[in-house]
Amino acid sequence: MSFQLRDFRPEDFETLWRIDQECFPPGIAYSRQELKIYMRRSASFTIVALPEHGQIVAFIVAGKGAVGHIITIDVLAAARRSGVGSLLLRAAEQRLQASGSKAVGLETAVDNAPALAFYKRHGYCVVDTYPRYYSNGVDALVLTKDLAQDGHPARDGNDRAKKKTR
Ligand SMILES: CC(C)(COP(=O)(O)OP(=O)(O)OC[C@H]1O[C@@H](n2cnc3c(N)ncnc32)[C@H](O)[C@@H]1OP(=O)(O)O)[C@@H](O)C(=O)NCCC(=O)NCCS
């Protein structure tokens, strides 16, 4: 299957929120308000993915900065393992790199094996653990990737105000 990427448009919001509800369990899925807050940050950008004649099946929200941040990446179950997550992640990394980010970081739940396999495949390394990070009590792993020299771990200096990002 081939996918097109484009920037988020305001009319996409409800679709993205519904995708997030399907992708994450209660306690980790965002409320509409939470998703809006992350997407509307001045440093944030959102890229969506859709098949040529279809509806949005996936999206990524990321934040620019010296160390960029992957806030969330969501692929509907039916579209997984067809490369769309990789397309979105690479597009976000390129945009972060172009905006001056030297590294990128993210958090993901310790029990999210698919996400850990996905990020490791893309050169991310685990650098820290946040105990009971999510509101369901699950720990988060902090992963980073150096964007200047692919694959080298870099610390995020992550602030806990970003709680529940993933
Ligand atoms: C994690 C996620 C974004 C991956 O998206 P995807 O489109 O399926 O990923 P890709 O098809 O680009 O996979 C690339 C590689 O990642 C690894 N990978 C992805 N999903 C995997 C899985 N379930 N098990 C093992 N490895 C996996 C594989 O190496 C895969 O390559 P391969 O298919 O050639 O073996 C998707 O599973 C998802 O949206 N999950 C729910 C939400 C979530 O957990 N997001 C991440 C936390 S923010």
Side-chain angles (χ1 to χ4, degrees):
M1 208 188 300
S2 75
F3 297 95
Q4 299 177 338
L5 303 188
R6 66 160 171 79
D7 282 344
F8 163 79
R9 297 172 189 151
E11 61 267 28
D12 299 329
F13 180 81
E14 191 65 18
T15 303
L16 303 201
W17 180 75
R18 290 190 188 284
I19 292 174
D20 194 69
Q21 298 302 296
E22 286 194 39
C23 282
F24 291 96
I28 295 190
Y30 290 140
S31 66
R32 285 186 179 83
Q33 185 66 11
E34 286 171 321
L35 186 58
K36 264 183 199 153
I37 287 169
Y38 287 123
M39 290 176 64
R40 284 181 180 169
R41 284 179 174 173
S42 58
S44 292
F45 62 88
T46 301
I47 305 170
V48 305
L50 56 172
E52 202 170 346
H53 297 293
Q55 304 293 314
I56 295 171
V57 295
F59 68 99
I60 189 165
V61 183
K64 297 174 188 168
V67 177
H69 194 228
I70 304 299
I71 294 167
T72 193
I73 178 168
D74 296 34
V75 179
L76 281 176
R80 289 180 196 160
R81 299 306 286 269
S82 53
V84 67
S86 297
L87 277 179
L88 284 166
L89 186 62
R90 281 192 214 103
E93 288 173 353
Q94 282 166 10
R95 197 172 294 192
L96 290 173
Q97 213 164 15
S99 73
S101 299
K102 301 294 180 221
V104 57
L106 58 93
E107 299 84 36
T108 196
V110 289
D111 57 1
N112 192 344
L116 288 168
F118 173 74
Y119 288 126
K120 286 185 178 174
R121 174 78 183 262
H122 283 275
Y124 287 72
C125 298
V126 175
V127 295
D128 207 351
T129 306
Y130 292 156
R132 301 183 61 79
Y133 181 77
Y134 297 102
S135 52
N136 61 1
V138 172
D139 297 351
L141 295 177
V142 183
L143 291 93
T144 63
K145 176 178 176 178
D146 195 317
L147 292 178
Q149 298 169 32
D150 238 19
H152 287 244
R155 290 304 301 259
D156 189 355
N158 221 319
D159 66 84
R160 299 302 298 272
K162 289 186 282 199
K163 187 150 173 59
K164 259 196 84 184
T165 58
R166 349 171 252 240

